[in-house]
Amino acid sequence: MSSKTANLDLYAKVEHLLGIEEATDALHSLYMSELADLEIESLLDVGCGRGGFIKRALAKGMEAKGCDPSEVMAKACQNDGLDVVCGGIETIEGKFDAIVAIFDVLNFMDKEKLNLFLDEVAKRLSDEGVFIADVNTKFGFSEVAEGVMSAEDESGFLNIDATFVNDELTTVFTFFEKERNGKYEKHQESIVQYFHPIRFFQNHKTLKLVDKQTFSLYETNDKTLLIFKKR
Ligand SMILES: C[S@@+](CC[C@H](N)C(=O)[O-])C[C@H]1O[C@@H](n2cnc3c(N)ncnc32)[C@H](O)[C@@H]1O
């Protein structure tokens, strides 16, 4: 793997070993309950991963599409027949009643990229449209994400080493992928995630933060849900 998104592609490859299915499901339910009363017809899921939330939105009768910069993620969605492109939000045309960025997507961007990203979201929201996203709190980074873990299954052996310093979480993924001949191929990539304080969002020029709620996905006030409208 040598592409610009090799680190996201490795994440995509090992996500099933992280044990986050239950948390993902709970988070998707929370987003769906926020959207339930809003009569959403069109939805864009940015950083849609394997498309689990798009499938839920389609089941509710919404017109739903998505994008993800990881080719592995985008392909998995396309193989399931979902309307998903490989890339960031800038690849998407049209306007949407709802845009979502679920499970840490905003934490993958540094301040500068996030600022531009929020502008791109505003351009794609219909007049009364809503943007919903979540970010990790400092607790989420220091109490939940930081540390070492390992896991294995028939696909291989994964080791994760995450360090939170100066508001940045650097996670090194080392994956020994089991090949058909019984040998292992080693892949190693790191992902940096950035802590963003709520005041950053409150001061944004094109999106207005209309609601926020901190909650516990892992029993320790680890996440904040953010709801925005266009200014
Ligand atoms: C933890 S996964 C969450 C996936 C999905 N939203 C879900 O709920 O299962 C984070 C996703 O963000 C994507 N991502 C990373 N940087 C991104 C960016 N700049 N724009 C959009 N998506 C991004 C990754 O490829 C990954 O699929």
Side-chain angles (χ1 to χ4, degrees):
M1 284 186 210
S2 61
S3 76
K4 270 206 303 199
T5 60
N7 57 349
L8 298 181
D9 287 335
L10 184 58
Y11 171 84
K13 216 170 182 177
V14 302
E15 191 183 53
H16 67 283
L17 284 165
L18 302 179
I20 58 169
E21 291 88 349
E22 220 175 287
T24 304
D25 219 45
L27 199 51
H28 288 183
S29 296
L30 178 65
Y31 274 73
M32 209 35 103
S33 69
E34 290 296 333
L35 294 173
D37 297 331
L38 298 180
E39 293 180 14
I40 304 297
E41 286 181 9
S42 55
L43 176 132
L44 172 65
D45 186 348
V46 186
C48 61
R50 291 179 185 273
F53 192 74
I54 296 180
K55 287 179 192 164
R56 281 204 190 199
L58 291 171
K60 293 272 179 205
M62 297 176 206
E63 210 176 278
K65 60 160 72 174
C67 61
D68 199 293
S70 157
E71 202 177 312
V72 176
M73 291 297 201
K75 277 238 170 75
C77 293
Q78 290 159 0
N79 288 342
D80 279 351
L82 302 179
D83 184 358
V84 167
V85 293
C86 179
I89 189 168
E90 64 286 347
T91 58
I92 299 290
E93 287 183 9
K95 298 228 177 203
F96 302 86
D97 300 332
I99 300 179
V100 295
I102 309 174
F103 216 151
D104 297 0
V105 175
L106 303 193
N107 292 117
F108 282 73
M109 303 173 207
D110 63 22
K111 294 238 157 352
E112 205 178 317
K113 287 207 177 102
L114 181 55
N115 229 337
L116 295 172
F117 172 82
L118 296 176
D119 288 340
E120 294 301 315
V121 169
K123 282 185 208 161
R124 288 165 179 80
L125 277 182
S126 59
D127 286 345
E128 288 307 311
V130 67
F131 172 52
I132 310 182
D134 58 84
V135 282
N136 282 323
T137 61
K138 273 211 184 184
F139 274 129
F141 278 121
S142 60
E143 304 297 313
V144 180
E146 192 172 44
V148 179
M149 73 156 269
S150 56
E152 68 180 309
D153 70 1
E154 62 290 343
S155 67
F157 175 80
L158 173 69
N159 179 269
I160 290 180
D161 191 349
T163 323
F164 186 54
V165 179
N166 294 335
D167 287 350
E168 290 184 15
L169 181 84
T170 303
T171 307
V172 181
F173 293 82
T174 310
F175 185 48
F176 295 90
E177 186 175 22
K178 197 167 190 179
E179 295 179 332
R180 270 201 208 124
N181 59 12
K183 290 189 175 160
Y184 288 84
E185 187 184 350
K186 180 180 171 183
H187 308 274
Q188 190 168 58
E189 297 287 344
S190 39
I191 287 181
V192 180
Q193 284 179 285
Y194 305 85
F195 167 71
H196 300 299
I198 299 301
R199 69 173 179 283
F200 171 86
F201 298 101
Q202 284 164 332
N203 293 335
H204 197 262
K205 286 201 183 71
T206 49
L207 284 179
K208 183 176 177 197
L209 184 65
V210 293
D211 200 5
K212 61 181 167 59
Q213 35 173 305
T214 294
F215 61 100
S216 300
L217 204 54
Y218 295 101
E219 293 169 6
T220 171
N221 283 340
D222 40 277
K223 279 203 162 288
T224 304
L225 189 75
L226 305 167
I227 304 186
F228 300 87
K229 293 215 154 191
K230 277 209 287 198
R231 280 202 190 270

